[in-house]
Amino acid sequence: MSGNEVESKGAPDGDGARESEMERYAECGARMPLVMGISIAFIALLSSITAAKGYGAAVGAVLIGGVVEAVLGLCAKYWQPFVNHVVAGTVVTSIGFSLLKVGASSFGGGSGAKDFGSPEIYCWGPFLWLSAWLSRSWRRMT
């Protein structure tokens, strides 16, 4: 079944698709969608570990963090009631605020760029934002 077929069965914003995916794997974990990937919040910590203790220590820290994350995920039904929407929203908002400097630097052409902040660079930002917004709107219409 393709992604479009799943989305058409759920709510317009795709919540129904996520619920059906969670029900399919109900016997495993907390029945929550999970997206794994690199998080920029840990880059500073890993950089300092690597500088102080070496690359092996950073890899060990990542492995230990992965095990802790797996245990927390498998035990989520026990701690999930204590993490309300206010706490989760505060954490996500604070991570977003910490990334504002990175976004502003990227919008200006990238940190250390020779033409940082030039009018040509600032013309690309709204164009790229508009194209991403139109692309998302187009997907919702079709």
Side-chain angles (χ1 to χ4, degrees):
M1 185 182 318
S2 72
N4 292 337
E5 292 173 36
V6 172
E7 286 183 28
S8 65
K9 292 180 182 178
D13 61 354
D15 284 339
R18 281 189 227 112
E19 289 173 9
S20 66
E21 288 296 317
M22 288 185 285
E23 289 170 5
R24 185 179 303 165
Y25 302 105
E27 67 277 357
C28 178
R31 295 177 31 191
M32 296 177 64
L34 178 69
V35 178
M36 294 191 64
I38 189 164
S39 174
I40 197 148
F42 301 111
I43 299 235
L45 178 62
L46 282 176
S47 296
S48 63
I49 291 173
T50 304
K53 302 287 184 181
Y55 182 71
V59 171
V62 169
L63 290 173
I64 292 170
V67 170
V68 169
E69 183 178 347
V71 169
L72 286 173
L74 292 172
C75 300
K77 62 183 173 183
Y78 301 113
W79 58 262
Q80 195 175 15
F82 300 110
V83 181
N84 61 21
H85 297 294
V86 174
V87 173
T90 304
V91 170
V92 170
T93 301
S94 64
I95 291 172
F97 283 150
S98 70
L99 294 175
L100 280 175
K101 183 178 178 184
V102 175
S105 174
S106 297
F107 190 82
S111 181
K114 292 180 182 179
D115 58 348
F116 183 84
S118 67
E120 294 85 18
I121 296 294
Y122 282 123
C123 289
W124 278 105
F127 173 74
L128 294 174
W129 178 85
L130 181 64
S131 64
W133 182 77
L134 288 174
S135 171
R136 184 175 180 186
S137 298
W138 180 259
R139 278 186 271 147
R140 286 185 180 183
M141 290 190 294
T142 57

